[in-house]
Amino acid sequence: MEQELKSQFDEFEKSEVIRRKLLPWWIKVFCWIFMIMSLFAIASLITNLFVSNVNLSLYGFSTNTAYSGTGLFIIAIMLLKGFAAYSLWFEKPNAITIAKIDAIVGIAICIASLFILPFSAGKDHFSFRLEILLLIPYYLKVNKIEYEWDNLETI
């Protein structure tokens, strides 16, 4: 019985970080940024119940209410990014797959905002999304470390 209880709590007694060492410093920084940003996304839903104006913006899409199609879309993307960051930071086995999905979705949204937003918003100018300059190296890096990440055992 005592041995069964000990095995259930072994997860909390990890003494060494192994997979996180595969991540470069800039991905580690963005992990914290996106984990905090996902908390703010949830907070914006709660805040918008009491305050009528909550400004949200991501990848060129913006709105001033959380309870709109665009607002829920932005919050969903923020939560995806937060989930990917959490998975990477806490060395989850499926973190690389989630990070790749996050990067591909981000790149697709950036490309869509490059070509769709100027026409749908009636704007006459083209705006380049600088986020794509970080999303592509992010995808390439997580793709590069995928094999090693999947084959490392955590203690």
Side-chain angles (χ1 to χ4, degrees):
M1 177 72 173
E2 187 176 316
Q3 190 174 24
E4 287 178 28
L5 287 175
K6 185 178 179 184
S7 66
Q8 291 175 355
F9 293 104
D10 284 345
E11 178 73 23
F12 297 109
E13 295 179 11
K14 287 184 182 177
S15 59
E16 188 175 343
V17 173
I18 296 175
R19 290 179 174 156
R20 195 180 305 155
K21 292 178 183 176
L22 297 172
L23 300 173
W25 67 269
W26 57 275
I27 290 181
K28 291 176 185 177
V29 169
F30 278 107
C31 280
W32 280 102
I33 290 170
F34 290 127
M35 284 190 287
I36 292 168
M37 188 174 74
S38 66
L39 293 175
F40 282 127
I42 294 169
S44 71
L45 285 171
I46 297 167
T47 303
N48 202 193
L49 293 172
F50 305 106
V51 178
S52 63
N53 195 8
V54 176
N55 292 321
L56 299 169
S57 180
L58 186 67
Y59 294 141
F61 293 92
S62 61
T63 185
N64 54 4
T65 180
Y67 294 105
S68 66
T70 305
L72 294 174
F73 172 73
I74 291 170
I75 289 169
I77 297 303
M78 287 180 179
L79 292 176
L80 171 65
K81 298 192 95 34
F83 182 61
Y86 172 85
S87 298
L88 286 170
W89 189 258
F90 290 103
E91 303 179 352
K92 300 298 180 187
N94 60 350
I96 297 297
T97 304
I98 296 167
K100 288 169 99 175
I101 291 169
D102 171 39
I104 291 169
V105 167
I107 291 168
I109 293 170
C110 278
I111 291 171
S113 72
L114 284 172
F115 297 108
I116 295 172
L117 283 179
F119 298 111
S120 66
K123 298 177 183 175
D124 293 336
H125 66 280
F126 176 80
S127 79
F128 182 73
R129 303 303 316 162
L130 292 176
E131 296 95 336
I132 203 164
L133 297 177
L134 290 173
L135 287 167
I136 293 170
Y138 170 58
Y139 178 83
L140 294 174
K141 184 61 179 177
V142 295
N143 192 44
K144 183 179 178 181
I145 65 172
E146 181 176 23
Y147 177 79
E148 197 172 351
W149 185 282
D150 289 341
N151 292 309
L152 279 176
E153 290 294 323
T154 56
I155 295 175

